[in-house]
């Protein structure tokens, strides 16, 4: 610009008919202004003169002609760019070198676009959806099956087991009985409703019973000790004329010798060994 001021504030040379620059209301000739105040260009290291455009980013400065992608050399003026290790890169070069690839579509997640992180992998926000209903998952609870993500509702509809008793979804744990899933709290004795998970039980007509209830309701009574005969008492029992005995109870009523595998005689409701029966 032409000067109406008399002298350069620094070199004191006349500014009449010369270009000058103002700084804090003081006038400087172009040469003094550039030597005193011009920022050095990050690329060419030369001062950015007062009649040149100074492009600044995070405290660093470039000539307009030097403001280029460090990899492909294309101008970044008025274009989106990214910084990596103090280098400026166009979005294409940055993506090729550093951007994450979407786990779902395998395409680059461009700088500045929103991405979702889950189990060490990245997704485009638009790709991070329920595999079944296609609704965005965002930060909602989700369940993964075979590398696919599902919202909880869809996973339960598609895959979750339902309790044989209450028909509700089993979200964790559970008991399998007769190839049917049960909640632990639903797997109870059909008689007294005591929980049977981890306990001994006996099945009758596909229903589980605790030992006490089964014995009271269904077990045959030993003709000798009058206690129930159950599989839990041992596999051996003796049956004769609609009466049953525990194996250890099937003894001669007089001498108490075991009659298991031996011949025996009967006298009314008693069983006797041959020796006692012949006496």
């Amino acid at each position: 610009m032409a000067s109406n001021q008399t002298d350069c504030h620094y070199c004191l040379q006349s500014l009449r008919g010369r270009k000058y620059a103002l700084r804090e209301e003081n006038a400087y000739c172009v040469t003094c202004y550039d030597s005193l105040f011009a920022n050095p260009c990050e690329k060419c290291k030369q001062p950015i003169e007062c009649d040149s455009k100074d492009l600044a980013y995070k405290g660093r400065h470039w000539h307009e002609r030097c403001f280029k992608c460090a990899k492909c050399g294309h101008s970044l003026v008025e274009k989106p760019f990214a910084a990596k290790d103090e280098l400026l890169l166009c979005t294409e070069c940055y993506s090729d070198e550093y951007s994450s690839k979407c786990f779902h579509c395998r395409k680059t997640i461009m700088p500045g676009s929103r991405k979702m992180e889950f189990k060490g992998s990245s997704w485009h926000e638009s790709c991070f959806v329920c595999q079944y209903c296609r609704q965005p998952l965002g930060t909602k609870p989700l369940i993964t099956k075979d590398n696919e993500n599902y919202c909880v509702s869809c996973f339960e509809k598609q895959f979750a087991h339902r309790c044989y008793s209450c028909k509700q979804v089993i979200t964790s744990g559970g008991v399998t009985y007769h190839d049917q899933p049960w909640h632990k709290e639903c797997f109870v004795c059909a008689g007294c409703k005591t929980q049977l998970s981890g306990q001994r039980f006996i099945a009758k007509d596909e229903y589980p019973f605790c030992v006490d209830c089964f014995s009271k309701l269904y077990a045959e009574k030993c003709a000798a000790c009058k206690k129930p005969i159950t599989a839990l008492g041992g596999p051996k029992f003796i049956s004769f004329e609609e009466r049953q005995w525990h194996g250890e109870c099937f003894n001669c009523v007089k001498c108490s010798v075991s009659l298991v595998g031996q011949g025996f005689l009967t006298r009314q409701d008693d069983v006797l060994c041959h020796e006692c029966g012949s006496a």
Side-chain angles (χ1 to χ4, degrees):
M1 62 184 69
S3 174
N4 291 322
Q5 298 194 33
T6 305
D7 302 320
C8 170
H9 184 71
Y10 185 74
C11 71
L12 304 180
Q13 295 294 315
S14 174
L15 296 175
R16 291 183 181 276
R18 300 171 61 190
K19 290 181 179 181
Y20 71 94
L22 290 174
R23 185 179 178 87
E24 297 178 355
E25 298 184 357
N26 293 318
Y28 297 84
C29 67
V30 171
T31 301
C32 290
Y33 185 90
D34 288 343
S35 65
L36 292 171
F37 305 116
N39 295 306
C41 175
E42 285 287 326
K43 176 67 176 177
C44 68
K45 309 305 179 184
Q46 298 299 311
I48 303 173
E49 300 87 350
C50 64
D51 58 351
S52 298
K53 184 177 287 187
D54 185 334
L55 301 179
Y57 174 72
K58 290 189 175 181
R60 296 187 293 159
H61 301 264
W62 289 261
H63 289 106
E64 185 175 16
R65 64 180 180 272
C66 296
F67 196 60
K68 299 177 180 180
C69 172
K71 185 177 180 184
C72 69
H74 289 166
S75 175
L76 298 177
V77 177
E78 297 183 358
K79 294 181 179 179
F81 63 91
K84 180 68 175 179
D85 299 329
E86 298 189 354
L87 297 177
L88 301 185
L89 300 166
C90 64
T91 53
E92 290 81 4
C93 289
Y94 183 89
S95 298
D96 290 343
E97 291 289 327
Y98 304 109
S99 288
S100 303
K101 299 294 189 294
C102 177
F103 184 83
H104 178 73
C105 70
R106 304 301 178 184
K107 295 181 180 179
T108 298
I109 301 175
M110 298 298 289
S113 61
R114 189 175 181 187
K115 70 177 180 179
M116 309 303 296
E117 299 280 350
F118 179 64
K119 289 187 175 180
S121 298
S122 302
W123 278 262
H124 290 110
E125 186 177 23
S126 59
C127 291
F128 195 59
V129 298
C130 171
Q131 179 67 16
Y132 185 73
C133 69
R134 312 306 299 176
Q135 293 300 306
L137 290 171
T139 57
K140 298 176 183 177
L142 61 91
I143 301 173
T144 301
K145 179 178 174 62
D146 299 332
N147 288 328
E148 299 289 357
N149 299 320
Y150 298 84
C151 65
V152 174
S153 177
C154 286
F155 183 86
E156 291 180 349
K157 291 176 183 177
Q158 295 299 305
F159 305 110
H161 295 298
R162 292 187 177 272
C163 177
Y164 182 78
S165 175
C166 71
K167 310 306 179 186
Q168 298 301 307
V169 169
I170 300 174
T171 56
S172 62
V175 176
T176 299
Y177 171 66
H178 276 199
D179 295 326
Q180 297 291 347
W182 303 62
H183 289 112
K184 286 184 178 180
E185 58 271 22
C186 293
F187 190 61
V188 298
C189 171
C192 66
K193 306 306 179 184
T194 300
Q195 285 193 21
L196 297 176
S197 178
Q199 306 297 320
R200 297 190 300 176
F201 65 91
I202 302 172
K204 175 68 174 178
D205 299 329
E206 296 189 357
Y207 290 98
F209 291 85
C210 68
V211 175
D212 287 344
C213 286
F214 182 86
S215 298
K216 292 175 182 177
L217 295 172
Y218 300 109
E220 300 287 352
K221 301 298 190 296
C222 175
C225 70
K226 309 305 181 185
K227 293 180 180 180
I229 299 173
T230 69
L232 296 175
K236 292 183 178 180
F237 71 96
I238 310 301
S239 179
F240 176 72
E241 293 184 349
E242 298 183 356
R243 291 187 294 163
Q244 288 80 30
W245 291 260
H246 293 112
E248 64 271 19
C249 294
F250 192 57
N251 302 323
C252 174
V253 72
K254 284 191 173 183
C255 68
S256 299
V257 68
S258 174
L259 299 177
V260 176
Q262 306 297 321
F264 61 92
L265 301 173
T266 61
R267 182 181 298 162
Q268 296 181 348
D269 290 336
D270 296 331
V271 290
L272 302 101
C273 65
H274 279 292
E275 185 176 345
C276 292
S278 302

